Amino acid sequence: MRIVVIGSGFGGLAAAIRLAARGHDVTIVEKRDQPGGRAYVYRRDGFTFDGGPTVITAPWLITELFTLAGRRAEDYVTLVPVDPFYRVFFPDGDHFDYSGDATRMETEIRRLSPNPDDIEGYREFVRRTEAIFAKGFTELAAVPFLKVSDMLRIVPDLVRLESYRTVSGFLGRFVKDERLRQVLTFHPLLVGGNPFQTTSIYTLIHHLEREWGVWFAMGGTGAVVDALVRLFGELGGTIKLDAEVGEITTEGRRATGVRLADGTDFPADVVVCNADVAGA
């Protein structure tokens, strides 16, 4: 089939690679001058800046794309584990080494927090995030919610997991030291969220990091984009840059392709839209 994928972010590239690996004729249309989407890379005066994500918390989501295509990921990009995951600095010069090792984390908590109850509070927080991870990531991450009834079915689970609380409010029930609260609630920032407003479902990131670690791509996130683009090209895929989509053409309820802002048509049997939801 002829397939057009709108957007060359990680989602668009991953979808395009999966489809191309299955023998489809796939074209990605990207409105910017280079691939990457939110992982856009800026280059200036000999320096390179990742414009979006900088760490990887589920590396198998990347490596499995190469396996699907019969390749080895390590031949395209080098991923290295980071330890500690983060070093969090405070205004007084003190810092907290945040890692996936329970013993080291508790040692850091004892050093940072004068409240002896925060150790058990942290342990309870970890137990709760494991339950949230099991529901929010393991069970629901790949489930499409196409109807209101799909969402209503999981409301009891979300209430049980206290998703109505914010990340900050959720953690605050277990941990009292203010600096420790800062250390354990910054994760929503990784997806552009505010810990004081974002649902506590995002605390699953804490357990996700403990499960698979935190990784860095040598050369920056742009090296991952470059690797996926190279793989896509080897599979016969095509990327059209500076190609902003004006509309998805349809016949009845069926997509028939895309029309660019300049009027160019790309007929397709299937259209995959990975553009920003609001724009789409």
Side-chain angles (χ1 to χ4, degrees), residues 140-179:
L140 297 178
V143 175
F145 293 91
L146 305 178
K147 304 185 294 294
V148 174
S149 58
D150 294 334
M151 180 61 74
L152 291 177
R153 269 196 297 273
I154 69 166
V155 167
D157 288 325
L158 295 179
V159 171
R160 177 176 56 82
L161 295 171
E162 301 183 49
S163 64
Y164 53 85
R165 297 185 187 276
T166 65
V167 169
S168 179
F170 183 81
L171 175 74
R173 298 175 59 225
F174 313 112
V175 173
K176 303 308 177 186
D177 183 74
E178 182 57 36
R179 293 197 299 175

Side-chain angles (χ1 to χ4, degrees), residues 28-250:
I28 297 175
V29 287
E30 166 59 51
K31 71 177 181 180
R32 302 190 76 172
D33 61 343
Q34 65 183 34
R38 296 291 187 189
Y40 192 88
V41 174
Y42 296 87
R43 296 177 175 87
R44 181 173 178 179
D45 299 333
F47 296 95
T48 301
F49 303 90
D50 285 337
T54 54
V55 295
I56 298 164
T57 52
W60 54 268
L61 289 173
I62 295 171
T63 58
E64 71 175 6
L65 295 172
F66 295 90
T67 301
L68 178 67
R71 273 46 169 208
R72 300 190 324 148
E74 54 267 35
D75 293 333
Y76 293 75
V77 63
T78 301
L79 302 178
V80 295
V82 179
D83 185 33
F85 296 162
Y86 313 100
R87 174 163 288 176
V88 182
F89 290 91
F90 299 100
D92 63 1
D94 199 0
H95 69 271
F96 185 102
D97 281 350
Y98 184 108
S99 70
D101 182 272
T103 301
R104 287 163 57 195
M105 281 291 287
E106 291 188 9
T107 298
E108 284 289 276
I109 291 170
R110 287 190 182 93
R111 184 183 62 78
L112 183 75
S113 174
N115 191 326
D117 294 335
D118 278 347
I119 289 292
E120 185 53 44
Y122 171 71
R123 291 170 181 167
E124 180 61 22
F125 172 69
V126 170
R127 287 191 286 268
R128 298 292 187 100
T129 61
E130 184 174 4
I132 293 172
F133 171 85
K135 174 61 66 173
F137 190 90
T138 305
E139 185 176 331
L140 297 178
V143 175
F145 293 91
L146 305 178
K147 304 185 294 294
V148 174
S149 58
D150 294 334
M151 180 61 74
L152 291 177
R153 269 196 297 273
I154 69 166
V155 167
D157 288 325
L158 295 179
V159 171
R160 177 176 56 82
L161 295 171
E162 301 183 49
S163 64
Y164 53 85
R165 297 185 187 276
T166 65
V167 169
S168 179
F170 183 81
L171 175 74
R173 298 175 59 225
F174 313 112
V175 173
K176 303 308 177 186
D177 183 74
E178 182 57 36
R179 293 197 299 175
L180 184 56
R181 287 183 178 183
Q182 293 177 30
V183 168
L184 297 174
T185 59
F186 74 83
H187 287 92
L189 300 174
L190 301 178
V191 293
N194 180 342
F196 297 99
Q197 296 176 333
T198 304
T199 170
S200 61
I201 289 295
Y202 279 93
T203 60
L204 67 80
I205 298 175
H206 181 83
H207 186 76
L208 185 145
E209 290 176 337
R210 289 167 67 94
E211 187 80 8
W212 290 300
V214 172
W215 299 71
F216 179 76
M218 299 303 291
T221 313
V224 179
V225 174
D226 292 343
L228 295 177
V229 168
R230 175 185 160 195
L231 175 62
F232 180 58
E234 291 176 0
L235 294 173
T238 302
I239 298 181
K240 301 290 186 182
L241 300 175
D242 297 310
E244 182 174 1
V245 174
E247 66 175 306
I248 298 174
T249 57
T250 60

